[in-house]
Amino acid sequence: MARLYAAAEKVLGPLKESRPFWDVMAHELMPRDDQQLQQLMTNPRADQQVQELRWELVCYLAGDLSGGADSSAADNLLSATVTPEPGNKIFEAAQVYRRRAGVGKALSGLPDDAAVNQVLRNEALKEALRTDYNASDLGARFNRSNNWGRKVLEDVRGQLSSDLEAAVGSLRQILAGAEASTDLRNTYEAEIAKWSDLKG
């Protein structure tokens, strides 16, 4: 059983903060043998079925059930909480969103909205590091605003800049330790200057 949960943790990434999601994913992985589980742990995105389930869990958390989650089940679960004003479509849409977000939080077992938002933010950070997004598209993917997407991308840029600075520092240490020739050092410094321009 431990091997299933280890693989589930790897596949879930930030979603592993939810114990129920962990249980669901471990159950999904149950038919797989040790070799398949090992492959999943080295390349979690290789299994389409697993990724579809994973994205369904993200959608539940985001209150967006258009991404594969069963919206009718969610609507039925909390239908008693909706008291829409006749003809007020905006109010009704807000109530539906709150209900679906409530279902996601309940299914996840996460303690509060802040925990849900942190898991979604961490997931968006990972997604933005893998794929090129603009703020609007990233926000929409997670059923959030353009401003939310912009803040996530700012964090991504900060992380990439920090990683780049660390890599440059390591490279300079290696060059100094290897007593590299002046020409070689100048070549790398020219490349570093280009990287710094990209960062800015």
Side-chain angles (χ1 to χ4, degrees):
M1 205 58 164
R3 64 194 178 85
L4 293 172
Y5 277 88
E9 178 182 8
K10 187 74 174 176
V11 169
L12 286 171
L15 300 180
K16 71 178 182 293
E17 296 302 321
S18 162
R19 180 61 194 221
F21 287 1
W22 216 353
D23 291 338
V24 167
M25 187 57 75
H27 184 268
E28 171 71 21
L29 299 179
M30 201 174 289
R32 290 162 174 81
D33 60 31
D34 286 341
Q35 185 178 0
Q36 291 170 324
L37 289 175
Q38 192 59 42
Q39 288 171 345
L40 259 180
M41 291 177 76
T42 55
N43 185 10
R45 298 178 68 82
D47 189 313
Q48 184 178 353
Q49 191 174 356
V50 163
Q51 288 308 312
E52 285 172 0
L53 172 59
R54 192 178 180 289
W55 183 244
E56 192 171 324
L57 297 175
V58 172
C59 289
Y60 272 120
L61 271 188
D64 174 14
L65 306 187
S66 63
D70 182 356
S71 61
S72 63
D75 290 341
N76 291 338
L77 186 59
L78 291 179
S79 60
T81 66
V82 178
T83 53
E85 297 174 3
N88 188 338
K89 295 294 183 187
I90 295 174
F91 180 81
E92 187 174 351
Q95 285 284 76
V96 168
Y97 167 75
R98 280 196 291 273
R99 183 168 75 248
R100 292 180 175 179
V103 170
K105 184 166 71 174
L107 289 172
S108 73
L110 294 171
D112 51 34
D113 290 342
V116 170
N117 288 332
Q118 189 59 55
V119 169
L120 283 174
R121 187 174 181 79
N122 291 343
E123 180 64 20
L125 283 166
K126 284 192 66 164
E127 181 75 14
L129 284 167
R130 282 192 298 258
T131 309
D132 189 23
Y133 279 98
N134 61 41
S136 177
D137 289 344
L138 186 63
R141 181 158 175 78
F142 287 87
N143 201 29
R144 295 294 187 267
S145 68
N146 178 64
N147 190 47
W148 185 90
R150 181 181 54 76
K151 288 178 179 175
V152 171
L153 290 178
E154 285 173 359
D155 286 350
V156 169
R157 280 190 287 274
Q159 182 176 336
L160 290 174
S161 293
S162 175
D163 291 348
L164 177 60
E165 286 169 5
V168 165
S170 296
L171 177 58
R172 284 182 168 144
Q173 284 181 350
I174 290 168
L175 288 173
E179 298 181 354
S181 70
T182 303
D183 287 344
L184 182 59
R185 204 170 285 169
N186 288 341
T187 299
Y188 277 109
E189 285 296 340
E191 291 300 318
I192 287 169
K194 288 181 189 175
W195 298 338
S196 297
D197 287 344
L198 286 175
K199 185 188 77 170

